[in-house]
Amino acid sequence: MIGRLNHVAIAVPDLDAAAAQYRSALGATVGAPQDEPDHGVTVIFIELPNTKIELLYPLGEDSPIQRFLDKNPACGIHHICYEVDDILAARDHLQSTGARVLGSGEPKIGAHGKPVLFLHPKDFNGCLVELEQV
Ligand code: CO
């Protein structure tokens, strides 16, 4: 059911410093910051030949990224995103296996303008999983 790895998301305490490191030290193609108020994040996408890295920084009150950084001051991988062809069919199938979908269970529009859902990390080996319909 799942397709390509769309991106790996890393929560960072200093977005400018992280972007500069990917640009200068790692020589990557780094995009511009985008605010995503529906998700409580500011994101920067880094384009790699085979996937993307998503740098996440808290936006606004009650950001899930702020809660993550409070618990993980050293930062780290926040989630991984897999592509699916049909997000509602994927959700219904996952729920039939007992996996929990976060929030209302309805897809939200993600940073690429496409529908996304998040799956409970406790159901996936401690890893928060995002599904994106492509
Ligand atoms: Co993501």
Side-chain angles (χ1 to χ4, degrees):
M1 181 175 68
I2 60 170
R4 284 165 25 99
L5 176 66
N6 185 275
H7 59 269
V8 176
I10 303 171
V12 302
D14 184 332
L15 195 55
D16 290 339
Q21 182 185 48
Y22 269 84
R23 190 181 294 112
S24 301
L26 293 171
T29 302
V30 176
Q34 306 172 44
D35 289 344
E36 302 290 338
D38 283 356
H39 297 275
V41 296
T42 300
V43 302
I44 287 180
F45 277 99
I46 295 162
E47 297 284 341
L48 304 183
N50 63 342
T51 189
K52 293 184 278 288
I53 302 296
E54 180 183 65
L55 301 178
L56 295 175
Y57 184 77
L59 175 67
E61 303 290 313
D62 199 35
S63 166
I65 302 307
Q66 187 60 57
R67 291 197 296 277
F68 182 86
L69 290 172
D70 289 345
K71 277 192 234 163
N72 305 278
C75 319
I77 293 177
H78 181 264
H79 66 268
I80 56 176
C81 177
Y82 299 122
E83 297 180 355
V84 294
D85 291 330
D86 181 334
I87 200 163
L88 294 178
R91 175 197 64 189
D92 293 348
H93 170 71
L94 282 156
Q95 286 179 325
S96 79
T97 71
R100 288 167 286 178
V101 176
L102 297 187
S104 69
E106 294 305 314
K108 281 187 179 178
I109 297 303
H112 305 114
K114 300 191 173 146
V116 301
L117 283 175
F118 287 88
L119 305 174
H120 200 298
K122 287 195 173 142
D123 297 336
F124 291 91
N125 311 295
C127 184
L128 178 61
V129 173
E130 179 179 20
L131 299 179
E132 179 173 308
Q133 180 171 293
V134 294

